[in-house]
C-alpha cells in the first residue's frame, strides 16, 4: 500500500477517466492519502498549501461519491484509515471555530467544511441515506415541543447569554447569518439545532426553547446592559430588538394604509369602488401568454430603432449582434403605468396580473411603497454597500450587454466558482468586526422594510419567502439574497428560482420614461418603472429590462438604482442538502462506529 497525494487535475475531463483507473488499482492508498491530507490541514499545518490539497480531496470525494461502483470498494478503507472519524470530528457541532486562526475561519467560511465534508461522507457511506428536509423540520418541531413545559417554571436567559458571550460561541466569522439568531423564533430554533444546542446541554435554563426566546425578547436594555456580556452580544441584542420592532411596525402600518378606506363588506376602496375598474386604485388585469419566449430570449429590448446602445464586442462580432436588439415599438406589449390621478385620490395604486386559466396571480406592481425616511435610509445603506461589495460576474448571454452593475449580499450556490466551492456566503457578507455586524443588520433592515411594506399587496409571495427562511441562511427573517443594482440592464431571460422575485426601484433619474423599464415578456406587458415602486414576478417567465438609449448612456449622469430580492433554486437545493448533512452527524457516527 502507498499513500496517494491528491493530484491537481480536472476530474470532469478525460484526465478524470485516467484518475479513476489509477484509483481503482489502489483504493486503500487513495483513502489513506485523503486521510493524511485532511489531517495535515485541520490538525497540523493549516496554511494555503495544505488547504489547496484539502480542497482537491473534497473535489475527489465529491466525484467518487457520484459513482456507486467505486463506493463499495472504498468502504473498508474509509473505516480503517480513520477518514470517517476525522471528517466526523471536523464536523462536530461543538467545533470551536471562533478560536481558530483568521486563516482557518476564512477557510471554513469559504468552503463550509463541516457541511461539505459531512455531505461527501454521507455520499460515500454505502447503505446510508439522509432524511429529507420535511422530515427533519417535523422532527425539529417535535423535539422543540417536547421541551415546552406546561408549568410556569421561571426561565432565566441571563445564564445562557453570558455563556454564549463568555465562550464567544456565535460562529459569525464562519456563518455570518448566525448573528440573526434572535431576529425571529424560527431563527432561534434553527440556531439551537445548528450551533447553539451544545451550550443548551450545559445550562438547565434552556429546557423550554420557545419560552427562552420569548424571555430574551422581553428583556429591557437597562437590565442586560449590566450583565457580563461582550460588546458584540450587546449589539446583537439591541439590533435584533430593533429589527423585530421595525418589522412589526412596518407590517401594521402597511396594512393600516392598505385598509384605511376599505369597505369591510367587499374589501374594495370606498373612494373608487363606484368607478370603472380601469380607474380603481387596486386593479386586476387578466393576461395571457404572449408566445414571445422563443423569439425574444437573449435579445435586448431597446426603446426604439436608432440611437441604440452597442453591445460590448469587437467590430467583427457587432453586425450579427445588432440583430439581438429588438425595438419595443416593434412589439405589441401593453404598458402598465403609474396613474397619479388615482394615487392622489386614494393614496395608493397597485396592479395585479392574473392568469384567467388558473385564477392565479402571476405578477404585480405597487407604486409609492416606502416613506421618505425609509427611502433615505435605503439610499445611505446602498451607498455604503457599493464600497464593500464586488460586482457579480454575469452569465455569458449577459456579457454582450455589460452595462451597469449588480452587487450581491447573502449566500449562494455558484454555478461555477472556485475549485471546491459550494453553498456559502458572498464575500461581502463576511462578519468579523462589530462594524460588520451593524452593516449586515442594516442590509437586513432594508430587505425586511421592502418585504414588510409589500406584505398587504403580495402576502402569499412574502409567506413563501418566510417559509424558505427555515431551510436556508437568513438575512434577518428571510433566507433571500439581495442584488443591489446600479444602471443594470439584462436581455430577455428566464431564471431558475425557488421563490418569487421582488424588485424595488429606488431611484430613476435623468433618463427617458421608456428607458430602464421592465418587460414581463412572457405575458406581453411592459412595466414603466418609477422611483419607489416595487414589483414581483416568477423568474421562470421570460423577463428583462429595456436598455437606455446610446445618447442617455453618453451623458454619464443617468441613474437607475434599486434592489432585486430572490432565492435561486440551486441555492435552496444545496441549503437543504447541508441541513440534511448536519442532521445526519449522529447517525453517521453510528454508521461508522465513531465515538466522539
Amino acid at each position: 500500500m502507498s499513500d496517494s497525494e491528491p493530484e491537481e487535475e480536472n476530474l470532469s475531463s478525460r484526465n478524470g477517466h485516467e484518475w479513476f483507473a489509477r484509483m481503482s488499482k489502489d483504493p486503500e492508498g487513495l483513502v489513506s492519502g485523503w486521510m493524511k491530507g485532511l489531517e495535515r490541514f485541520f490538525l497540523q499545518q493549516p496554511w494555503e498549501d495544505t488547504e489547496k490539497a484539502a480542497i482537491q480531496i473534497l473535489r475527489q470525494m465529491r466525484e467518487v461519491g457520484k459513482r456507486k461502483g467505486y463506493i463499495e470498494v472504498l468502504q473498508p478503507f474509509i473505516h480503517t484509515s480513520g477518514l470517517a472519524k476525522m471528517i466526523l470530528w471536523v464536523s462536530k457541532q461543538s467545533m470551536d471555530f471562533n478560536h481558530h486562526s483568521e486563516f482557518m475561519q476564512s477557510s471554513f467560511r469559504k468552503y463550509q467544511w463541516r457541511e461539505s465534508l459531512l455531505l461527501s461522507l454521507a455520499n460515500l457511506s454505502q447503505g446510508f441515506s439522509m432524511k429529507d428536509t420535511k422530515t427533519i423540520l417535523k422532527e425539529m418541531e417535535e423535539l422543540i415541543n417536547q421541551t415546552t413545559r406546561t408549568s410556569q417554571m421561571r426561565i432565566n436567559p441571563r445564564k445562557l447569554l453570558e455563556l454564549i458571550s463568555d465562550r464567544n460561541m456565535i460562529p459569525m466569522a464562519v456563518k455570518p447569518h448566525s448573528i440573526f439568531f434572535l431576529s425571529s423564533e424560527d431563527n432561534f430554533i434553527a440556531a439551537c439545532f445548528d450551533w447553539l444546542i451544545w451550550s443548551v446541554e450545559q445550562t438547565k435554563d434552556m429546557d423550554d426553547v420557545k419560552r427562552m426566546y420569548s424571555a430574551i425578547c422581553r428583556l429591557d436594555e437597562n437590565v442586560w446592559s449590566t450583565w457580563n456580556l461582550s460588546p458584540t452580544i450587546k449589539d446583537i441584542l439591541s439590533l435584533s430588538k430593533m429589527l423585530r420592532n421595525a418589522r412589526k411596525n412596518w407590517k401594521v402600518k402597511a396594512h393600516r394604509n392598505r385598509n384605511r378606506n376599505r369597505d369591510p363588506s367587499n374589501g374594495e376602496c370606498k373612494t373608487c369602488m363606484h368607478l370603472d375598474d380601469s380607474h380603481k386604485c387596486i386593479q386586476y388585469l387578466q393576461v395571457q401568454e404572449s408566445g414571445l419566449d422563443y423569439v425574444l430570449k437573449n435579445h435586448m429590448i431597446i426603446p426604439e430603432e436608432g440611437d441604440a446602445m452597442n453591445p460590448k464586442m469587437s467590430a467583427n462580432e457587432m453586425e450579427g449582434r445588432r440583430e439581438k436588439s429588438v425595438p419595443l415599438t416593434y412589439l405589441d406589449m401593453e404598458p402598465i403605468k403609474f396613474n397619479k390621478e388615482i394615487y392622489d385620490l386614494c393614496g395608493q395604486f397597485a396592479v395585479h396580473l392574473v392568469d384567467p386559466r388558473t385564477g392565479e396571480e402571476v405578477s404585480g406592481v405597487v407604486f409609492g411603497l416606502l416613506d421618505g425616511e425609509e427611502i433615505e435610509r435605503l439610499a445611505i445603506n446602498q451607498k455604503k454597500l457599493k464600497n464593500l461589495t464586488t460586482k457579480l460576474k454575469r452569465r455569458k448571454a449577459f456579457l454582450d450587454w455589460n452595462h451597469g452593475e449588480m452587487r450581491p449580499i447573502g449566500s449562494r450556490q455558484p454555478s461555477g466558482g472556485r475549485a471546491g466551492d459550494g453553498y456559502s456566503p458572498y464575500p461581502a457578507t463576511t462578519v468579523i468586526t462589530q462594524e460588520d455586524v451593524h452593516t449586515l443588520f442594516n442590509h437586513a433592515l432594508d430587505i425586511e422594510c421592502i418585504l414588510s411594506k409589500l406584505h398587504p399587496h403580495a402576502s402569499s409571495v412574502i409567506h413563501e419567502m418566510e417559509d424558505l427562511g427555515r431551510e436556508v441562511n437568513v438575512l434577518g427573517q428571510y433566507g433571500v439574497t439581495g442584488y443591489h443594482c446600479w444602471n443594470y440592464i439584462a436581455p430577455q431571460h428566464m431564471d431558475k428560482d425557488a421563490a418569487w422575485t421582488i424588485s424595488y426601484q429606488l431611484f430613476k433619474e435623468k433618463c427617458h420614461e421608456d428607458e430602464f423599464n421592465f418587460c414581463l415578456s412572457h405575458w406581453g406587458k411592459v412595466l414603466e418603472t418609477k422611483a419607489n415602486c416595487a414589483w414581483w414576478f416568477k423568474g421562470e417567465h421570460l423577463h428583462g429590462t429595456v436598455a437606455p438609449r446610446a445618447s442617455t448612456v453618453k451623458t454619464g449622469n443617468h441613474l437607475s438604482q434599486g434592489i432585486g430580492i430572490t432565492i435561486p433554486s440551486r441555492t435552496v437545493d444545496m441549503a437543504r442538502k447541508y441541513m440534511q448533512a448536519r442532521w445526519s452527524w449522529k447517525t453517521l457516527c453510528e454508521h461508522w462506529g465513531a465515538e466522539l
Side-chain angles (χ1 to χ4, degrees):
M1 182 193 74
S2 61
D3 295 341
S4 316
E5 288 294 327
E7 300 176 49
E8 181 68 35
E9 56 190 343
N10 183 1
L11 300 182
S12 298
S13 67
R14 279 184 293 179
N15 290 338
H17 297 294
E18 298 175 8
W19 182 85
F20 276 105
R22 294 197 302 272
M23 182 272 287
S24 61
K25 293 178 181 178
D26 186 16
E28 185 177 8
L30 173 76
V31 176
S32 178
W34 286 351
M35 168 61 189
K36 291 184 181 297
L38 295 180
E39 184 179 47
R40 195 172 294 123
F41 175 58
F42 290 108
L43 297 181
Q44 298 172 356
Q45 301 168 333
W47 54 47
E48 288 184 9
D49 288 344
T50 54
E51 181 192 52
K52 188 177 180 181
I55 292 166
Q56 185 64 9
I57 290 168
L58 176 62
R59 295 176 68 200
Q60 291 176 359
M61 289 195 297
R62 284 173 174 171
E63 288 298 321
V64 175
K66 299 174 185 176
R67 294 163 167 79
K68 293 182 180 179
Y70 292 100
I71 294 173
E72 183 177 0
V73 177
L74 297 181
Q75 295 307 290
F77 308 120
I78 291 174
H79 179 70
T80 57
S81 68
L83 177 66
K85 190 172 183 178
M86 163 62 69
I87 290 175
L88 291 165
W89 179 82
V90 171
S91 307
K92 283 178 69 174
Q93 189 176 34
S94 57
M95 277 293 288
D96 193 0
F97 299 119
N98 288 324
H99 290 94
H100 283 305
S101 66
E102 287 187 13
F103 174 79
M104 205 61 170
Q105 288 180 353
S106 174
S107 185
F108 267 89
R109 180 173 61 253
K110 287 187 293 186
Y111 299 103
Q112 296 296 304
W113 286 109
R114 176 189 175 195
E115 289 84 356
S116 297
L117 289 173
L118 269 178
L119 188 57
S120 295
L121 180 61
N123 290 334
L124 289 170
S125 302
Q126 189 177 24
F128 183 85
S129 59
M130 300 186 295
K131 295 178 179 178
D132 61 67
T133 50
K134 286 185 179 179
T135 300
I136 293 171
L137 290 170
K138 183 178 179 181
E139 290 183 0
M140 287 172 60
E141 186 175 355
E142 289 173 352
L143 288 169
I144 290 296
N145 289 338
Q146 288 173 14
T147 71
T148 304
R149 294 176 177 174
T150 55
S151 67
Q152 294 302 309
M153 184 177 291
R154 184 170 178 267
I155 294 288
N156 179 14
R158 177 173 182 170
K159 186 175 181 181
L160 176 66
L161 291 173
E162 288 187 340
L163 182 68
I164 294 172
S165 175
D166 182 58
R167 301 191 179 183
N168 194 24
M169 287 174 52
I170 303 175
M172 61 186 193
V174 175
K175 298 176 180 291
H177 64 279
S178 61
I179 65 174
F180 296 111
F181 78 109
L182 295 176
S183 295
S184 73
E185 183 179 85
D186 281 344
N187 288 9
F188 187 69
I189 291 171
C192 285
F193 287 102
D194 186 0
W195 55 268
L196 187 55
I197 200 75
W198 70 284
S199 71
V200 173
E201 296 171 355
Q202 300 181 46
T203 171
K204 302 295 184 183
D205 299 316
M206 192 60 172
D207 290 340
D208 191 327
V209 173
K210 291 184 177 180
R211 285 183 63 207
M212 175 61 77
Y213 172 73
S214 296
I216 293 174
C217 290
R218 289 195 300 269
L219 288 173
D220 189 273
E221 184 171 350
N222 293 329
V223 175
W224 57 254
S225 62
T226 62
W227 296 352
N228 187 25
L229 302 176
S230 68
T232 299
I233 288 288
K234 289 181 177 180
D235 275 351
I236 290 174
L237 279 166
S238 177
L239 292 167
S240 297
K241 186 170 185 176
M242 176 183 67
L243 186 57
R244 293 192 305 268
N245 289 341
R247 178 193 305 141
K248 180 180 178 180
N249 292 336
W250 284 325
K251 284 186 177 180
V252 168
K253 186 176 181 180
H255 279 276
R256 186 183 297 126
N257 289 341
R258 174 77 157 77
N259 300 329
R260 63 185 173 185
N261 202 30
R262 295 180 80 179
D263 187 326
S265 64
N266 57 21
E268 291 195 45
C269 173
K270 295 177 183 177
T271 304
C272 62
M273 61 187 296
H274 62 285
L275 301 176
D276 182 78
D277 287 348
S278 63
H279 289 85
K280 291 181 179 179
C281 61
I282 306 295
Q283 298 183 11
Y284 294 87
L285 301 182
Q286 292 192 348
V287 295
Q288 60 184 9
E289 293 177 336
S290 66
L292 294 172
D293 286 14
Y294 178 77
V295 177
L296 291 181
K297 187 177 179 182
N298 293 332
H299 286 62
M300 178 62 74
I301 294 181
I302 56 178
E304 59 188 356
E305 192 169 11
D307 199 10
M309 284 180 59
N310 285 324
K312 296 190 174 183
M313 54 183 64
S314 68
N316 291 334
E317 298 172 306
M318 189 74 75
E319 193 60 38
R321 284 301 187 182
R322 283 200 181 99
E323 297 177 2
K324 290 288 187 178
S325 299
V326 180
L328 184 62
T329 50
Y330 287 10
L331 302 171
D332 187 23
M333 284 198 190
E334 182 183 354
I336 300 173
K337 298 183 177 183
F338 173 63
N339 191 312
K340 187 176 185 302
E341 183 180 351
I342 295 176
Y343 185 84
D344 289 343
L345 179 67
C346 302
Q348 62 181 354
F349 183 59
V351 180
H352 300 260
L353 306 186
V354 179
D355 184 350
R357 298 171 303 177
T358 61
E360 294 180 354
E361 185 168 324
V362 295
S363 184
V365 57
V366 59
F367 295 90
L369 183 69
L370 305 185
D371 296 339
E373 185 179 328
E374 295 158 356
I375 293 171
E376 183 179 358
R377 189 196 65 249
L378 181 56
I380 292 171
N381 288 340
Q382 274 209 324
K383 186 176 182 180
K384 291 178 181 177
L385 284 170
K386 192 170 186 179
N387 297 324
L388 295 171
T389 54
T390 55
K391 290 198 296 184
L392 192 65
K393 184 178 179 181
R394 304 192 186 202
R395 66 180 81 169
K396 188 176 184 299
F398 286 29
L399 287 174
D400 295 345
W401 306 95
N402 194 17
H403 180 70
E405 56 190 71
M406 174 185 283
R407 296 170 179 261
I409 291 282
S411 298
R412 89 287 187 264
Q413 168 64 26
S415 55
R418 56 182 175 260
D421 210 346
Y423 179 54
S424 59
Y426 277 109
T429 315
T430 299
V431 175
I432 297 176
T433 66
Q434 281 181 259
E435 184 180 2
D436 295 333
V437 172
H438 282 261
T439 297
L440 206 54
F441 263 95
N442 282 336
H443 177 70
L445 272 171
D446 294 338
I447 294 288
E448 297 225 16
C449 181
I450 293 170
L451 298 185
S452 296
K453 297 296 286 285
L454 199 58
H455 189 273
H457 303 277
S459 58
S460 61
V461 174
I462 308 305
H463 288 154
E464 189 175 277
M465 290 186 166
E466 287 177 349
D467 291 341
L468 283 172
R470 300 181 65 195
E471 303 177 52
V472 299
N473 295 348
V474 293
L475 284 171
Q477 185 181 16
Y478 302 95
V480 299
T481 295
Y483 300 92
H484 296 261
C485 303
W486 289 264
N487 296 331
Y488 184 79
I489 60 172
Q492 298 300 294
H493 67 285
M494 292 170 279
D495 296 309
K496 295 179 180 178
D497 294 327
W500 295 73
T501 297
I502 294 171
S503 295
Y504 174 75
Q505 186 83 39
L506 179 61
F507 297 125
K508 187 176 176 181
E509 301 172 354
K510 298 181 180 178
C511 60
H512 298 278
E513 288 186 347
D514 58 0
E515 297 174 327
F516 291 110
N517 288 334
F518 189 80
C519 290
L520 296 159
S521 303
H522 183 80
W523 302 107
K525 305 292 181 184
V526 57
L527 168 63
E528 189 175 288
T529 60
K530 304 282 287 185
N532 197 26
C533 79
W535 63 98
W536 54 98
F537 62 96
K538 293 187 176 180
E540 66 201 53
H541 297 150
L542 190 73
H543 61 277
T545 49
V546 179
R549 292 172 174 79
S551 56
T552 299
V553 173
K554 191 174 181 179
T555 64
N557 58 6
H558 61 293
L559 177 64
S560 174
Q561 182 177 339
I563 180 172
I565 304 167
T566 192
I567 313 175
S569 292
R570 65 173 178 266
T571 293
V572 173
D573 291 343
M574 189 52 67
R576 286 170 174 164
K577 288 181 180 179
Y578 277 14
M579 175 189 280
Q580 292 166 4
R582 288 192 298 270
W583 199 253
S584 298
W585 185 85
K586 186 176 181 180
T587 48
L588 277 170
C589 285
E590 294 169 354
H591 181 89
W592 290 104
E595 296 182 6
L596 295 168

